[in-house]
Amino acid sequence: MKAKLVKLPKPLEELSGEELERKRAIARVMTLTLEYLTSSLIREGYEWLLPVILSRVTDPLWPDPGASIEKRLEVEIYGVRVRATLSMIIHKMVACSLAYPKLFVLSPNIRVERRDRAWTGLHAYEFTQLDFEARGASSRDIMGLVEKLLRGLVEHLKKSAREELSILGRYGVLRVPDAPFRVYDREDLEAKYGGKWEVELARDIREPVWVVNIPRQFYDYEDFETGRWDNYDLYLPGLGEVLSGARREWEYEKLVKKMERDGVRKENYALLLRLAREGRLKPTAGAGIGVERLVAWVVGAEHVCEVQPFPRIPGVVYEL
Ligand code: AMP
Ligand code: MG
């Protein structure tokens, strides 16, 4: 996480000529990043699904230690209460179990983050996840895929966006990270850094690293015997968390137990629970990459909203 001195990105109409040139260079990097990641996933056999934005069901984002939502958006359509997508996790689990063994979505997430998060440099109130899921995959499968994608991306951008990366002062700084990335257990990080381990870790690392075993929402797999969670976050140096993922729960009794333990309303997840009870929910694993954070890291942006054409800064609502 960044210090409080982060400058808040301005809207397009207030940018100087030089700032617009930077904005255009970032857009090129974004374009090539999306092209590279989507075509790589397609090559790996993933289907590209289009997102949903309003749905009866969305991610509870609870209990996620990282989440801080100021307002949950709900609206009535056709006499039914629907929620704005916080993440497409539930849709992914169902779609991957029933229909598409490997899928990805470029999914708009609307999260009205607390307004003090304007200053973290990491939060937008609308952002996009490259969200993917694979049936029968292990954590290691997904981590290996992400390592391959990230290494390939940096290599690709250094070739095809040389001019833009130079304008942004990043060409010489970016290098293809070695794989496999180091893996840290969240418990060890807490022991070393205390509660603020996320900030300190991002400052200390020089290469991308994994953090595993993070207690959070019911859908991440938890071994009830050992208490360990089979999930993983990717941290980028100088930035912080760019991806969260996990192997998922699929067993009815465990899902119910976790929802009851967390105070999550089971009636909000009736379909998921029914599919689990009928044995139609399958073991899957996947992850969501924050597209803006990833590109912010590539281009060395101070604020994640700088890579958005229309900045979505928590607490700052521009005209466009
Ligand atoms: P989550 O499932 O909450 O971990 O979100 C997945 C990824 O989306 C995170 O690892 C971030 O890269 C990104 N992300 C989450 N919240 C935000 C936000 N408010 N603004 C920008 N990116 C975010
Ligand atoms: Mg996360």
Side-chain angles (χ1 to χ4, degrees), residues 97-226:
S97 295
L98 297 185
Y100 319 100
K102 289 173 152 189
L103 66 87
F104 73 94
V105 196
L106 277 168
S107 158
N109 286 195
I110 304 169
R111 300 186 186 176
V112 184
E113 303 277 3
R114 268 196 344 244
R115 55 199 78 196
D116 59 358
R117 291 204 156 182
W119 307 100
T120 64
L122 287 172
H123 294 91
Y125 66 82
E126 288 181 3
F127 65 95
T128 302
Q129 281 200 47
L130 175 59
D131 218 354
F132 61 98
E133 198 76 14
R135 201 186 295 168
S138 68
S139 289
R140 194 56 247 175
D141 293 336
I142 301 297
M143 290 157 88
L145 173 63
V146 170
E147 287 167 357
K148 186 170 158 190
L149 291 176
L150 190 65
R151 284 165 51 82
L153 175 66
V154 174
E155 200 178 349
H156 179 68
L157 291 175
K158 288 203 74 164
K159 270 195 221 126
S160 50
R162 185 179 181 138
E163 190 187 324
E164 289 78 13
L165 290 175
S166 302
I167 291 172
L168 297 161
R170 295 294 289 171
Y171 185 78
V173 186
L174 274 182
R175 52 173 294 270
V176 179
D178 293 331
F181 304 163
R182 285 186 71 153
V183 180
Y184 292 99
D185 191 298
R186 183 257 328 155
E187 281 179 17
D188 297 335
L189 293 172
E190 274 176 4
K192 178 168 177 195
Y193 295 116
K196 292 232 182 246
W197 59 268
E198 301 193 25
V199 186
E200 310 245 346
L201 180 70
R203 205 176 292 149
D204 276 3
I205 54 177
R206 295 286 165 266
E207 294 265 309
V209 300
W210 293 107
V211 179
V212 297
N213 183 27
I214 307 157
R216 56 186 176 213
Q217 289 95 316
F218 64 79
Y219 47 74
D220 283 10
Y221 187 91
E222 180 184 358
D223 185 328
F224 276 0
E225 262 155 40
T226 61

Side-chain angles (χ1 to χ4, degrees), residues 13 63 77 86 96 110 130 141 166 180 227-228 231-232:
E13 67 277 12
I77 54 172
L86 290 166
C96 191
I110 304 169
L130 175 59
D141 293 336
S166 302
R228 284 187 63 80
N231 56 14
Y232 36 87

